[in-house]
Amino acid sequence: MKANSLTSSLPLQFPSPIKLPPPSTGIRFPSSLTPKAISISTPNTHRISINKNDDDDDSIAAFWDYQFLFISQRTETENPAVLRLVDGAIPSDFPSGTYYLTGPGMFSDDHGSTVHPLDGHGYLRAFVFEKDHEVTFMAKYVKTEAKMEEHDPETDRWRFTHRGPFSVLKGGKKLGNTKVMKNVANTSVLRWGGRLLCLWEGGDPYEIRAEDLDTVGKFCAFHGGDDHDSPSRGGGYDGGFWRFAAELLKPVLYGVFKMPPKRLLSHYKVDAQRNRLLVMSCNAEDMLLPTSHFTFYEFDSNFKLLQKKDMVIDDHLMIHDWAFTDNHYILFANRIKLDVIGAMSAISGISPMISALSVNTNKSTSPIYLIPRFGEDSKKDDWKETIVEVPSRLWLLHVGNAFETIHEDGTLDFEIHASSCSYQWFNFKKLFGYNWQTGKLDPSVMNPNETKSKQFPHLVKVSISLSKNGKCEKCSVEPLNQWPKSSDFPVINPKFSGLKHNYLYAATSSGNRRSLPSFPFDMIVKLDTVTNTVRTWFAGNRRFVGEPVFVPKGDKEDDGYLLVVEYAVSIQRCYLIILEAQRFGEADGVVARFEVPKHLNFPIGFHGFWAANT
């Protein structure tokens, strides 16, 4: 269903310093459509009208709509900006607090280099809900070491020197450039124990001052003081050839490439029942070796370490997101392998460092590891994980939630709701359609044709049944609520994390746009997993959405609101949307819409966090 929204206009605007090339699909641009260099922070220079009913024009508009989601924003807020209410009103029972959204903000420098969206400098946005029902907005770059080196604050000019894992610098040094692990703190955000943190996949988080979003510095408390060479439980890592190989790699990775010994994952978990923060790390050398060393940490609300567990898996794996239940950690083992030719090319600076890895399709199943959280002393070699082979190649993207049911006879059932894609669709070198050789973003890569529709990201339910002896009796994978649309970023009411839940929300695609049928997303979907029903909210034509965030207000699971940012690329505006969860999909389900000032319009975000005032 389409909720009330602003009337969508069709002009495509090209403001002015990044010059984007025409699409690689062979479409020839009319001279009137040749864009000027793009920069959000400068005024528009002209406006183009496009007839949405014309297939050729729609292809052109689709290409540029996609580019506008990934253009740099150089402007930061000096003072909080009050957002203009353009629709509805904030409900009287809406909690006071802050919605944080992080993601990349800088993709092109002033010397000809562009970077992959995953390598874009972290740009933190904050929407503050005051008690007087006013919403203010702040946005600043995370002042990482790389940002401080690559940006001159006096001239406001950028020169990329770190290529990052997914990029190659055209305007910078290639051969011998060991500045690879560019910690951009752009992936997720967390407020915990009185601290605001921006996280990245390959290094320590950065602490941010909540009142003005200024950067405090690196936050190293998650695994500070770890003995990186301490023996670990499980696997064959403690000796033999791969232990020897790891020892040879460490001086190169830690010293030459300056990679941190522990690679903290950007996805954390909050156990609301125990008021605990759960985080996870792996070793840097695991990226290149067929063995994976994982460490789980649990902290109380004051960042006191309550427990730590190490484990080693004899497989070459990449973990981006993971899950937990009341008594278990759950790892979805995405299989990868070393690409020797790609590694040589990457080290020489000819291709991105990620070229050293590729998806491993040698096996037709995907393992899931069920790891006990409690009950054993982690210093003893007496706890065992359960390995379940999923009967498909299931590349996990993001987890909505997982829960377990313990039966009186000692059997155990697990249910996991997540977004996944096929191994055939996932490609390290083409994520977001970025072509490192040309610097182009090709939306067709993210929009496979109908014959490949089962390969793109979608919502799944994984069901596992274990006998009382821990043996897998059943494992199945099916579309969640039989929802067939391309979807990602599943979320639930955070109070129910790790527990049985009934409702799940996600960003999804309506499929209405012929040229962009799968991504970017233009709808939010609510799935009732008990009644097996689906409700949707559609943002509108040429309007896209990111990850929704649930804001609880009562004790019932769907008693609350959803926050989501709408990117109206046709008019170059960002809107903050408030949806009521219990009236989701109804005509009055949108309760308020706020407009971000145009000069602060921002590129697409990755992950967000709602922090209620206490």
Side-chain angles (χ1 to χ4, degrees):
M1 301 181 183
K2 181 176 178 179
N4 294 331
S5 61
L6 297 179
T7 302
S8 178
S9 58
L10 292 174
L12 187 62
Q13 305 169 359
F14 301 109
S16 222
I18 303 168
K19 189 149 188 180
L20 292 174
S24 58
T25 55
I27 298 173
R28 182 181 292 266
F29 275 69
S31 58
S32 62
L33 284 176
T34 302
K36 294 193 175 182
I38 292 179
S39 169
I40 298 179
S41 57
T42 55
N44 293 323
T45 53
H46 62 275
R47 170 177 305 213
I48 308 296
S49 295
I50 288 183
N51 180 358
K52 67 177 181 178
N53 296 319
D54 185 281
D55 285 347
D56 289 337
D57 283 350
D58 182 64
S59 296
I60 296 172
F63 173 81
W64 286 107
D65 285 354
Y66 193 76
Q67 310 307 310
F68 274 116
L69 289 176
F70 299 98
I71 52 177
S72 300
Q73 168 58 287
R74 298 193 176 207
T75 304
E76 300 175 284
T77 54
E78 294 184 8
N79 299 297
V82 178
L83 298 189
R84 183 172 72 92
L85 179 67
V86 295
D87 250 349
I90 299 180
S92 59
D93 59 356
F94 194 94
S96 61
T98 304
Y99 166 42
Y100 298 100
L101 175 65
T102 192
M106 184 58 59
F107 307 100
S108 297
D109 69 3
D110 296 295
H111 299 274
S113 288
T114 64
V115 294
H116 190 285
L118 294 177
D119 291 330
H121 282 284
Y123 188 66
L124 179 61
R125 290 137 270 194
F127 299 86
V128 183
F129 289 77
E130 308 288 357
K131 291 182 179 180
D132 58 2
H133 290 176
E134 186 176 77
V135 179
T136 58
F137 175 74
M138 294 185 292
K140 287 185 180 180
Y141 276 97
V142 183
K143 292 182 176 61
T144 64
E145 292 178 3
K147 193 268 181 184
M148 299 298 287
E149 177 180 322
E150 296 185 338
H151 178 236
D152 185 342
E154 293 186 3
T155 63
D156 194 28
R157 291 180 66 81
W158 294 74
R159 179 188 288 275
F160 295 156
T161 55
H162 296 68
R163 44 182 169 148
F166 295 88
S167 310
V168 170
L169 301 183
K170 287 189 175 181
K173 182 180 178 182
K174 291 183 180 180
L175 187 63
N177 184 354
T178 59
K179 294 180 178 181
V180 175
M181 296 308 289
K182 181 179 181 175
N183 187 339
V184 286
N186 70 0
T187 310
S188 62
V189 58
L190 165 71
R191 202 169 85 184
W192 183 264
R195 297 178 184 270
L196 178 62
L197 306 174
C198 284
L199 295 87
W200 181 61
E201 199 77 311
D204 290 321
Y206 274 80
E207 184 176 355
I208 310 299
R209 200 162 57 198
E211 55 267 30
D212 56 12
L213 300 190
D214 281 347
T215 302
V216 177
K218 277 189 178 181
F219 182 76
C220 305
F222 280 128
H223 46 73
D226 270 0
D227 181 2
H228 302 301
D229 294 316
S230 61
S232 305
R233 273 57 61 194
Y237 188 81
D238 295 329
F241 175 77
W242 295 119
R243 177 67 179 182
F244 174 72
E247 293 302 323
L248 292 178
L249 272 175
K250 286 179 182 179
V252 178
L253 297 178
Y254 303 170
V256 177
F257 289 101
K258 295 181 173 57
M259 294 174 63
K262 288 285 189 181
R263 189 171 65 87
L264 191 73
L265 299 191
S266 58
H267 281 282
Y268 54 84
K269 305 296 169 183
V270 175
D271 185 341
Q273 306 306 308
R274 296 182 175 90
N275 196 27
R276 290 189 179 191
L277 173 66
L278 284 57
V279 297
M280 177 182 163
S281 70
C282 57
N283 286 7
E285 63 271 17
D286 293 349
M287 296 296 291
L288 301 176
L289 299 176
T291 185
S292 303
H293 181 166
F294 300 108
T295 305
F296 299 92
Y297 310 84
E298 299 201 16
F299 297 89
D300 69 6
S301 58
N302 295 313
F303 273 109
K304 177 184 177 182
L305 181 63
L306 300 176
Q307 72 174 35
K308 168 189 166 185
K309 276 197 171 186
D310 295 312
M311 74 171 296
V312 174
I313 298 174
D314 290 326
D315 206 346
H316 203 176
L317 308 176
M318 174 172 284
I319 307 297
H320 174 62
D321 199 1
W322 52 290
F324 80 98
T325 65
D326 201 31
N327 295 290
H328 289 81
Y329 306 116
I330 301 178
L331 291 186
F332 295 78
N334 299 327
R335 285 194 170 107
I336 59 175
K337 61 182 178 181
L338 180 66
D339 185 327
V340 177
I341 296 177
M344 295 174 62
S345 175
I347 292 174
S348 67
I350 298 174
S351 66
M353 289 303 295
I354 199 66
S355 301
L357 301 176
S358 61
V359 176
N360 187 351
T361 59
N362 291 337
K363 295 184 179 180
S364 60
T365 60
S366 300
I368 293 180
Y369 291 81
L370 308 173
I371 305 159
R373 285 177 65 186
F374 311 110
E376 295 87 9
D377 185 346
S378 64
K379 295 181 180 180
K380 296 180 181 178
D381 191 14
D382 59 0
W383 62 275
K384 299 295 181 182
E385 74 277 5
T386 299
I387 306 174
V388 176
E389 291 288 343
V390 178
S392 64
R393 293 193 187 104
L394 186 70
W395 186 278
L396 182 99
L397 297 172
H398 295 106
V399 177
N401 193 36
F403 57 89
E404 63 188 23
T405 303
I406 303 175
H407 301 284
E408 293 183 357
D409 61 358
T411 58
L412 185 59
D413 290 338
F414 292 87
E415 191 166 312
I416 306 143
H417 298 169
S419 64
S420 71
C421 64
S422 74
Y423 273 48
Q424 288 74 24
W425 182 86
F426 191 87
N427 188 322
F428 287 120
K429 302 174 186 178
K430 295 183 178 180
L431 295 177
F432 290 105
Y434 179 79
N435 186 325
W436 57 269
Q437 294 174 310
T438 64
K440 297 177 184 178
L441 285 162
D442 184 356
S444 67
V445 173
M446 300 292 288
N447 290 275
N449 57 41
E450 292 183 5
T451 61
K452 297 181 179 180
S453 61
K454 293 183 179 179
Q455 297 182 7
F456 55 54
H458 58 287
L459 301 175
V460 297
K461 177 175 73 173
V462 181
S463 302
I464 299 171
S465 295
L466 301 183
S467 69
K468 61 181 179 181
N469 297 321
K471 181 181 178 181
C472 180
E473 299 289 347
K474 184 189 75 170
C475 179
S476 64
V477 182
E478 60 182 300
L480 185 60
N481 280 32
Q482 299 302 311
W483 180 247
K485 303 284 189 179
S486 176
S487 309
D488 198 4
F489 304 124
V491 299
I492 66 164
N493 183 333
K495 291 183 177 181
F496 290 78
S497 293
L499 303 178
K500 188 180 187 310
H501 68 278
N502 296 333
Y503 305 105
L504 181 138
Y505 310 85
T508 189
S509 175
S510 67
N512 291 338
R513 187 84 176 267
R514 186 193 62 81
S515 299
L516 299 173
S518 303
F519 184 83
F521 303 123
D522 57 7
M523 285 201 312
I524 303 297
V525 61
K526 176 184 180 180
L527 305 180
D528 185 329
T529 62
V530 175
T531 62
N532 206 39
T533 56
V534 174
R535 291 192 172 197
T536 62
W537 170 75
F538 176 52
N541 181 50
R542 298 181 68 197
R543 293 169 181 258
F544 306 116
V545 295
E547 176 191 63
V549 169
F550 192 93
V551 179
K553 71 171 183 177
D555 295 329
K556 292 183 179 180
E557 186 184 342
D558 65 343
D559 188 9
Y561 299 94
L562 286 168
L563 297 176
V564 66
V565 171
E566 174 189 286
Y567 303 87
V569 293
S570 61
I571 55 175
Q572 292 179 41
R573 286 287 194 278
C574 289
Y575 297 92
L576 179 66
I577 311 296
I578 304 177
L579 305 166
E580 185 165 355
Q582 291 184 343
R583 300 207 313 272
F584 191 90
E586 299 177 8
D588 58 351
V590 177
V591 297
R593 180 191 307 264
F594 290 88
E595 182 182 75
V596 176
K598 183 163 186 175
H599 73 285
L600 294 173
N601 187 46
F602 51 79
I604 194 167
F606 285 160
H607 296 290
F609 185 83
W610 167 257
N613 292 342
T614 56

